[in-house]
Amino acid sequence: MATIRHGLLQRPLSIRGASSRACHVTTGFGPWRTFSFSSRRQIFKLFNDLPSRTLCEYHKSSPRDLLFLKWPSPLRNVLLVKKDGNPAATDALITFARHVKSAYPSTSVLLEPVGAHGIQESLGFPVHSSHVSSFFPQKVDMTVCFGGDGTILHAASLFAASASVPPVLPFSMGTLGFLGEWRFEEYKRAFRESYMSGAGAGDRAQILDSPGSEPQRSEGTAWPSAFGRSMGRKRGAKVLLRRRLRVEMCESGSQGGDGHATAPPEGAVHAMNEVIIHRGKSPHLAVIDVFIGGRFLTEVVADGIIISTPTGSTAYSLSSGGSIVHPLVPSILLTPVCPRSLSFRPLVLPASAQVTLRLSEKHRAEEVDVSIDGRKLEEGMSLGMSVRVSGERLRDDNGAWLGGVPCIVRGDFRSKSPDDDSWVGGLNGLLKFNYPFGEEG
C-alpha cells in the first residue's frame, strides 16, 4: 500500500487479541480503540468479508454535458458518511440505513469507525467498518453523504490516493449545502434512481406501479423489483463529474521548477477543492516561485497562494478575490492570498497546465504550511522543496471515464432542457450572486 510521508494516508491497523471477545485496534495516530463483539450477535463485520467494488459506467447525456450513471450489476456496498456533531444528520443516516437494508437486503452498509458503535446500536443489524483507508477504494460501490459541503469533501478525501472515486449521493443537511442538491425527504427516490440507474425493464423482476408499494425483497445478484417505471438502459441518474487536482510534494528541482517526487506516482494525492500554500504562524510574507509548464511565471510575495479546481472556486479562492468558474469548465485557478503587489490578479489556466510552486531562497522563515482541502499537512514545504499540481486525468486509454468525483445531481432524468442547471440556482439562492443592497432574502 502506498504511503505519503506527509500523513495523508492512514497507517495500516494492527490487531491484537483477535480471538478474544474484545478486538483492540490501533492506527498509529492515537490511543487504543476497543471494538467489542457479542457472542449472540456480531456488532461489526470486517471489510474483508465484502465483495469487491462494482465499477459503474458513465455515458454522455444529450444535450447537456452531464453524464448518466449505469450499473453493470446491482451495487452491493454503500458507505454512509455524516456530519460530525449533527443529531439531524445522525437520525437521517439511521433512517436511510434501515430503508436500504429493508428494501435492498443484499446491500451492505458501511460506516466510518468514528461514531460507528453508537449508530450500530440504533440500527439493530450488523454493519461493516474499518480503520484501513485502503479498503474504501477496493470495496465501496457508492458513498452517501448527510451534511454540508465539508462532509462531501471529507468523503472525497477517503479516496484521495485513488484514481477512481465511486459515485457520491449528497443530501444537503449542512450550513450552506452548495454542493449537495438532494433534500433528505427525497431519500427513497434518490437512492432508487441511483440504484436502478441504467437498468432496463428486462434486467429486473416485475415493476410495481403503485407509488405506495414497497420494493420486493430479492437476494443474490438479480435486480430487485422497485416501484416506479424503469429508467431504461439509455437513461439514468444524472452525474456531475467534478474535477480534482493531482498533488505531489517534490524535493529540490531544476531551474524549470521540475523536481523528483518524494513518493512514487501512485503515491500522489488528489484535491477536490484546492491546494493552499500559506505563511502560517510566520510574521513574514511567503515568497514562492511559480512555474507553469516548467517556465518561470512570477515570484509571489503574499500571505499565500491557492491552486483551485472549478468546484473550489466558490470556496477560499472566492473569498480571496478569485473568479467563479462553472464546475464543467476544464480549468485550474491560481489565486493569491493578500499579495503585496496590487497588480497581482487571479489567473484561470487550462486543466492541462502543470503548476509548480517552489519556496524561494528569499523566504525568511524555515517553511510554509501546505493544506489540501482544508487539512494541513503534518510537515510544511521547506526551502528547496516544491509542490507540483496538475489536472486529474479523467479518461483512460480506452476513453472510459475514470477520474473526478462523480456527484449524483437532483433533477428529472427525462428533462432535455439545457437550462436545467442547479449550479445557477445555487449561485442565486445560496451565494446571493449580485444581490441588491437593501432587499430581504
Side-chain angles (χ1 to χ4, degrees), residues 145-431:
C145 298
F146 306 86
D149 296 349
T151 306
I152 300 176
L153 285 176
H154 170 69
S157 71
L158 300 176
F159 306 90
S162 175
S164 176
V165 181
V168 177
L169 177 62
F171 291 100
S172 180
M173 304 184 68
T175 305
L176 184 60
F178 187 66
L179 302 182
E181 299 185 11
W182 290 91
R183 300 187 299 269
F184 181 69
E185 292 77 13
E186 305 169 301
Y187 72 93
K188 291 184 179 181
R189 169 202 163 192
F191 186 74
R192 182 179 70 250
E193 290 188 2
S194 303
Y195 185 94
M196 300 300 300
S197 182
D203 295 335
R204 55 183 180 174
Q206 182 180 0
I207 301 170
L208 302 177
D209 290 330
S210 174
S213 301
E214 286 295 325
Q216 298 176 359
R217 297 191 176 192
S218 175
E219 299 292 345
T221 58
W223 293 90
S225 60
F227 56 81
R229 295 187 176 274
S230 172
M231 299 171 71
R233 291 187 179 92
K234 295 184 179 180
R235 294 187 297 185
K238 295 190 298 184
V239 172
L240 173 59
L241 195 62
R242 296 185 177 273
R243 296 172 179 268
R244 297 186 298 176
L245 298 174
R246 190 175 186 274
V247 187
E248 293 178 277
M249 185 74 77
C250 306
E251 296 292 353
S252 57
S254 62
Q255 284 295 110
D258 295 325
H260 63 277
T262 61
E266 62 270 16
V269 295
H270 299 87
M272 181 178 177
N273 253 17
E274 75 269 304
V275 180
I276 302 172
I277 311 295
H278 199 274
R279 64 186 176 96
K281 297 180 180 179
S282 172
H284 307 291
L285 294 176
V287 185
I288 304 168
D289 294 332
V290 180
F291 299 83
I292 305 295
R295 299 185 60 182
F296 177 75
L297 172 66
T298 187
E299 178 185 78
V300 177
V301 182
D303 280 353
I305 190 168
I306 304 169
I307 308 297
S308 171
T309 64
T311 296
S313 68
T314 53
Y316 193 4
S317 176
L318 178 61
S319 301
S320 301
S323 301
I324 299 178
V325 180
H326 194 285
L328 290 177
V329 177
S331 56
I332 296 176
L333 286 74
L334 192 152
T335 308
V337 181
C338 299
R340 185 178 64 181
S341 173
L342 297 179
S343 62
F344 193 168
R345 292 291 178 256
L347 298 177
V348 179
L349 306 171
S352 59
Q354 303 284 333
V355 182
T356 302
L357 308 175
R358 187 176 65 190
L359 192 61
S360 172
E361 296 180 356
K362 301 177 183 179
H363 186 71
R364 300 172 64 181
E366 294 182 357
E367 65 177 23
V368 291
D369 293 341
V370 180
S371 299
I372 297 179
D373 282 346
R375 295 188 177 186
K376 189 177 75 170
L377 304 189
E378 293 180 0
E379 298 180 23
M381 182 173 66
S382 57
L383 186 64
M385 299 184 65
S386 61
V387 173
R388 189 163 54 200
V389 183
S390 59
E392 179 186 20
R393 185 183 182 188
L394 294 185
R395 296 191 182 221
D396 60 18
D397 295 335
N398 298 321
W401 295 95
L402 174 66
V405 180
C407 296
I408 301 174
V409 298
R410 181 176 178 270
D412 186 356
F413 67 90
R414 294 165 295 187
S415 174
K416 296 183 179 180
S417 172
D419 298 325
D420 182 19
D421 195 333
S422 59
W423 182 81
V424 176
L427 283 184
N428 292 327
L430 296 175
L431 298 186

Side-chain angles (χ1 to χ4, degrees), residues 20-60:
S20 63
R21 295 174 62 88
C23 179
H24 304 275
V25 182
T26 180
T27 61
F29 292 102
W32 291 93
R33 298 177 182 266
T34 302
F35 288 83
S36 60
F37 293 85
S38 170
S39 58
R40 292 175 298 176
R41 183 182 65 190
Q42 185 179 3
I43 301 299
F44 291 103
K45 294 183 178 181
L46 299 177
F47 266 38
N48 290 333
D49 300 333
L50 293 170
S52 298
R53 172 183 169 187
T54 301
L55 294 176
C56 60
E57 301 173 0
Y58 303 102
H59 300 275
K60 275 285 187 180

Side-chain angles (χ1 to χ4, degrees), residues 2-26:
T3 57
I4 297 178
R5 70 186 191 88
H6 291 280
L8 290 178
L9 296 182
Q10 296 180 358
R11 302 176 186 175
L13 61 79
S14 59
I15 300 178
R16 61 180 185 179
S19 60
S20 63
R21 295 174 62 88
C23 179
H24 304 275
V25 182
T26 180

Side-chain angles (χ1 to χ4, degrees), residues 79-161:
L79 173 65
L80 308 184
V81 180
K82 73 177 187 69
K83 180 179 181 179
D84 291 336
N86 189 322
T90 301
D91 294 341
L93 185 149
I94 294 173
T95 300
F96 185 88
R98 287 173 176 170
H99 168 69
V100 169
K101 202 61 181 177
S102 173
Y104 310 86
S106 60
T107 303
S108 299
V109 174
L110 288 62
L111 298 176
E112 291 186 279
V114 178
H117 192 278
I119 294 175
Q120 194 282 331
E121 291 179 345
S122 301
L123 291 176
F125 57 83
V127 297
H128 293 77
S129 186
S130 175
H131 281 84
V132 183
S133 60
S134 62
F135 279 159
F136 290 107
Q138 299 173 11
K139 301 293 186 178
V140 175
D141 296 337
M142 185 171 73
T143 304
V144 183
C145 298
F146 306 86
D149 296 349
T151 306
I152 300 176
L153 285 176
H154 170 69
S157 71
L158 300 176
F159 306 90

